[in-house]
Amino acid sequence: MSSRPSVRSAPRLLRRVGRAARTTVRPLGRAVTYTRWLHLLLGAAFAVVSGFVLPGYTDMTWTTWLQAVLVPTVPAAAIGLIPLMRRVEGLQAQLMLFPGPHARGGGRTARAPRISAAPSASWAERARTSLWVVVRLEAGCLTATLSLLCLPQFISLVAVAGGGSADEGAPLLWEPEGRWRALLLLPVPLVVLFGGVIVLGAGVAAAAGRLLGPSPAQRLAELEERTERLLERGRIAHELHDSIGHALSVAVVQAGAARAAGDPGFTERALAAIEETGRAALEDLERVLLILREPERPASARPALTEAERLLASARAAGAPVDASVTGPVDRLPGPVSRECYRMLQESLTNVVRHAGPVPVRVRIAVLDDRVELEVVNPLPAGDGGGPLGERGGSGLRGIRERAALLGGRAETGPVGGEWRVGARLPLRGPVGDRATGPVAGPGRPAPSGRPRWFGGGGGPVG
C-alpha cells in the first residue's frame, strides 16, 4: 500500500527534474550568453596588455597573477574619467549585454535596463563610468582566468577518455587518470565554465544598468519631455474637439432647418453655410495634422482671435442672431492668448448652436491694458433652468476652463438669471517686466454661493 503513492509521485518528480534541467540549459541557447562572454573577455584585454608591458611577469605565479589583475585598475579608472569613454562603454553594453528581446530570456515582457550612450556631462557621471571600467576589468580578468583553466581541462579529459594522454603544457586543475574517470568528469569543466560565464554576465549587466544608466538629471529631463508630449496630445485633442465639433454642429442644425423650412432659397443658403463651415473645418484639421507630421512647426500656424469673424459668420449662418462687440487692439494680443481665445469662442458658439438652437447670442471681446475679457451670453431654452449642459458641464466647457488656467487666467460657465453665460479673463504681460499684471479676479462684490462671478465692468454681469 505504501508503494502506490511513491509510484504516483515518480512522474511528477521526473517532470520537475525535466523543468529544472530545461531551465538550467536554456541560457546556453541564447545569443546573449555568448555576447556577454565576449564582452567580458574584451574587458580583460587591458590587463593582458599591461602584463606584456610591465616588467616582472616572465615567471607567472599566483602573486604575479594577482598583480596583473590589480595593477591595471589605476590607469583603467583614470581612463574612465574621459567623457567620451561613457559613450564607448554605453554602446558596447547596448550591443553586447542587451542585444535584443530574443536574447534577454524573459519573453516579451523582459525589459533591459536603459543604458546611456552619451559622453559624461558631469563629474558624477565620470565617477560612475570610472567605476564601471574597473568592474568590467576585474570581471573580465576573472572570466579569462576561468576560460583558460576550464577549456584546457576539458580538452585533456576528452583526450584521456579517447585513450590518449593529457597535454602537459596545459594549465590543468587535476591530472585525469583512467578513461572511465575522465569520461565521468568530462561535463565538470563545461558546467563550471558556463555557470561562471552566465553568473558573471548577469552581474555585469546589472552593474551596467546602475553605472551606465541615465543620471537623475537625465531622468528628470526625460520625464519633463514626456509630460510635454502628453500635454501636446491633450492640446491637439482640444483642437480637434473644438474645430470639428463646431463644424458638425453647424452642419446638423443647418440641414435640419433646411429640411423643416421647405424653402428653396433658405435651403440654398443653408447649403452654402454648410459648405463654408466644412471648408473652415478642413483647414483647421489640416493645421492639426501638420503639427502632428511636423512637431517643429510653429504654433502660429493655428487660427487666432483675429479670425473671430469667421466664427461669428458661421453662427449667424446657423440661424443664431449674433450681437458682437469687439474693443481694443485684438491684433496685438500675444500669440498663445489670441489662439486660446479663438478656441474658447469657438467652443462657446458651438454649444449655443448645438444645445440652444437659433437663439440670440451676445459676444463681448475686450482687450484692456492688463487683460483680455471674453463673454458669450445666450438665453436658456424654455423649461431648462440648469442650462443645456446642466450644472456639471461637458468636456468642451471643461476644456475652456483648462485653457484659461494654463494661461494664468480663469473661466466660468453656468446659468445666471435665465441666461447661459461663458466668461473668461486672461492676464496680459505688462509693458514693464515679464510678469502678468493685474489680478485674475475682477473687482466687485463676491458672487453668491453656487453662482459664477462674471467678468464685466465693476465685476457685474455684462448686459
Side-chain angles (χ1 to χ4, degrees), residues 117-163:
S120 299
S122 64
W123 279 104
E125 291 186 356
R126 294 186 184 187
R128 292 167 62 198
T129 308
S130 178
L131 180 59
W132 159 255
V133 173
V134 173
V135 169
R136 183 185 177 188
L137 171 66
E138 300 302 329
C141 291
L142 185 57
T143 305
T145 303
L146 196 62
S147 303
L148 291 175
L149 292 177
C150 292
L151 288 178
Q153 187 72 53
F154 175 75
I155 295 173
S156 298
L157 289 174
V158 171
V160 173

Side-chain angles (χ1 to χ4, degrees), residues 243-254:
S243 178
I244 305 303
H246 174 77
L248 291 178
S249 298
V250 172
V252 169
V253 171
Q254 288 282 13

Side-chain angles (χ1 to χ4, degrees), residues 315-365:
R316 293 188 181 103
V322 179
D323 180 13
S325 172
V326 181
T327 59
V330 177
D331 56 339
R332 297 183 183 179
L333 285 175
V337 176
S338 183
R339 289 188 291 270
E340 297 305 321
C341 281
Y342 177 92
R343 290 305 183 189
M344 286 189 281
L345 176 61
Q346 186 178 50
E347 177 61 28
S348 301
L349 294 177
T350 300
N351 286 336
V352 173
V353 174
R354 181 185 300 169
H355 300 288
V359 297
V361 183
R362 298 196 306 276
V363 176
R364 174 179 173 269
I365 302 172

Side-chain angles (χ1 to χ4, degrees), residues 4 53 64 77 135 193-194 280 286 353 368 384 404-405 419 439 451 462:
R4 290 183 178 178
V53 173
T64 54
V135 169
L193 174 61
F194 283 103
E286 182 63 24
V353 174
L368 307 177
D384 192 354
E419 294 180 323
R451 291 297 184 183
V462 178

